[in-house]
Amino acid sequence: MSARLLDGARVAASIREQLRPRAEVFAARAGRPPGLGIVLVGTHAASEIYVRNKLKAASDVGCRAELFRLPERATLADVLDTVRRLNIDEAFDGILVQDPLPSAMGSGASQAVFDVIDPAKDVDGFTPINAGLLSQGRSVLAPCTPSGVIALLQREGIAMSGSHAVVIGRSDIVGKPMAMLLLHQHATVTICHSRTRDLPALTRQADILVAAVGRTAFVRPEHVKPGATVVDVGINRVTDSGEVAALFPEGSPRLADFARRGSVVVGDVHPAVAEVAGALTPVPGGVGPLTIALLLQNTVTAAEARAGWSASR
Ligand code: NAD
């Protein structure tokens, strides 16, 4: 069996298409486009790429995104000051602080930032207020990656109601909100994590299996019930040629990619899972593009909500 590929890039494009007129209407009424402030600290190579993609995608749908750069040596207080300025700047409807923050800021730095962002501008959906609203099923701004997964499953006709969904990963930004959103879609949800006993026994029960582990090719065919829908949230850059050769069969275009670039992006799901799953999100081109589309959707939604309009949603 070979799994149907769930085309996140196509669904993301259609979400962006629907956002354009909303952004136009907002701009005409407000006299300015929806505004997104992105804070980037330091010079993390992957973050630079993510931020560039977000800036471009924002302008493509008619939002105005502005980048606020802080040096690697910036302190947590500097980041919080920048966020506080954006909180009161009327030109910005959304605030995003690009993860990860420099490790020198300490392990609690991201949470300290989420505690300060105005919940009405929290387009990542990470503030305690929005996390609470999400758990109550009444969020306006929910985390982008899990929201993108729900949008993909809905648009690809994958039935969630009554299904057994298993989420591997319990982070505040992916695993937990993913589980909440699936619960609100009436799935029966199991959350697995690093201390779960006999993981394959649980994952094999899943009609929908979401992998948000952060470990290359972690989910293998023996984790998957034949015919299940498998959502691969993972983004792992692999640079070891032996590892790449072990992952992809001879003749795979991914090997040619690796030969050209010296690295490939691999998800948390092993490529061989395609032989067992009924449907599968590819990496790249699955969940990744949806995350950005949902970020822009949250930005337009935040702009409308802050202006007191619930526009064309
Ligand atoms: P994280 O490190 O915060 O969480 C990983 C989770 O995996 C933890 O809850 C941990 O308990 C669980 N885990 C680790 N080892 C395990 C094991 N052996 N068995 C079962 N569970 C185990 O990571 P995160 O921020 O939630 O991100 C997860 C992945 O998703 C990463 O690859 C990240 O790059 C990717 N990601 C992708 C997008 C996107 O746009 N596609 C967005 C955010 C994160």
Side-chain angles (χ1 to χ4, degrees), residues 145 168-171 173-174 193-194 212-215 218 233-235 291:
T145 299
I168 318 177
R170 59 173 163 181
S171 72
I173 64 172
V174 187
H193 48 79
S194 50
V213 196
R215 294 176 65 168
F218 177 82
V233 177
I235 302 178
T291 298

Side-chain angles (χ1 to χ4, degrees), residues 19-35 62-63 90-91 93 299-309 311:
L19 282 177
R20 225 166 263 129
R22 280 175 61 188
E24 267 169 30
V25 168
F26 177 87
R29 287 178 73 176
R32 63 167 182 86
C63 292
E90 283 306 314
D93 304 289
T299 302
V300 175
T301 299
E304 292 165 350
R306 285 184 358 97
W309 314 325

Side-chain angles (χ1 to χ4, degrees), residues 25-271:
V25 168
F26 177 87
R29 287 178 73 176
R32 63 167 182 86
L36 172 64
I38 300 180
V39 181
L40 175 62
V41 187
T43 51
H44 191 266
S47 295
E48 293 278 348
I49 297 170
Y50 295 149
V51 164
R52 203 182 318 135
N53 291 343
K54 287 170 184 173
L55 291 168
K56 180 176 180 314
S59 85
D60 285 350
V61 299
C63 292
R64 188 181 80 86
E66 190 173 332
L67 178 58
F68 296 84
R69 274 185 184 277
L70 275 75
E72 184 78 29
R73 61 176 189 285
T75 62
L76 177 58
D78 296 331
V79 180
L80 298 181
D81 278 351
T82 307
V83 168
R84 287 193 185 97
R85 276 203 303 279
L86 289 168
N87 277 346
I88 55 173
D89 189 331
E90 283 306 314
F92 292 100
D93 304 289
I95 302 169
L96 179 153
V97 178
Q98 183 63 45
D99 208 43
L101 292 170
S103 51
M105 284 187 191
S107 58
S110 291
Q111 191 58 60
V113 168
F114 304 151
D115 287 348
V116 164
I117 292 175
D118 176 352
K121 297 188 176 190
D122 171 27
V123 286
D124 264 334
F126 294 159
T127 61
I129 294 277
N130 285 325
L133 289 171
L134 175 65
S135 84
Q136 294 180 343
R138 57 194 187 108
S139 65
V140 176
L141 301 172
C144 304
T145 299
S147 301
V149 171
I150 297 292
L152 180 64
L153 295 177
Q154 280 171 335
R155 289 179 192 227
E156 292 279 356
I158 306 287
M160 287 177 268
S161 180
S163 71
H164 184 186
V166 176
V167 179
I168 318 177
R170 59 173 163 181
S171 72
D172 288 343
I173 64 172
V174 187
K176 274 189 225 165
M178 184 74 257
M180 279 298 161
L181 288 169
L182 286 162
L183 187 61
H184 299 325
Q185 294 295 324
H186 313 294
T188 300
V189 183
T190 301
I191 306 177
C192 299
H193 48 79
S194 50
R195 310 235 181 137
T196 296
R197 284 198 207 116
D198 198 358
L199 184 73
L202 289 165
T203 58
R204 272 199 306 269
Q205 294 173 28
D207 302 306
I208 299 171
L209 178 61
V210 181
V213 196
R215 294 176 65 168
T216 306
F218 177 82
V219 172
R220 307 183 69 90
E222 56 269 28
H223 288 96
V224 179
K225 176 167 78 174
T229 295
V230 179
V231 176
D232 189 353
V233 177
I235 302 178
N236 310 290
R237 187 165 291 280
V238 182
T239 53
D240 181 279
S241 58
E243 197 179 348
V244 175
L247 280 171
F248 299 105
E250 218 171 300
S252 161
R254 305 302 307 282
L255 293 175
D257 277 357
F258 179 74
R260 222 175 21 253
R261 298 189 190 148
S263 70
V264 278
V265 173
V266 179
D268 290 346
V269 175
H270 195 286

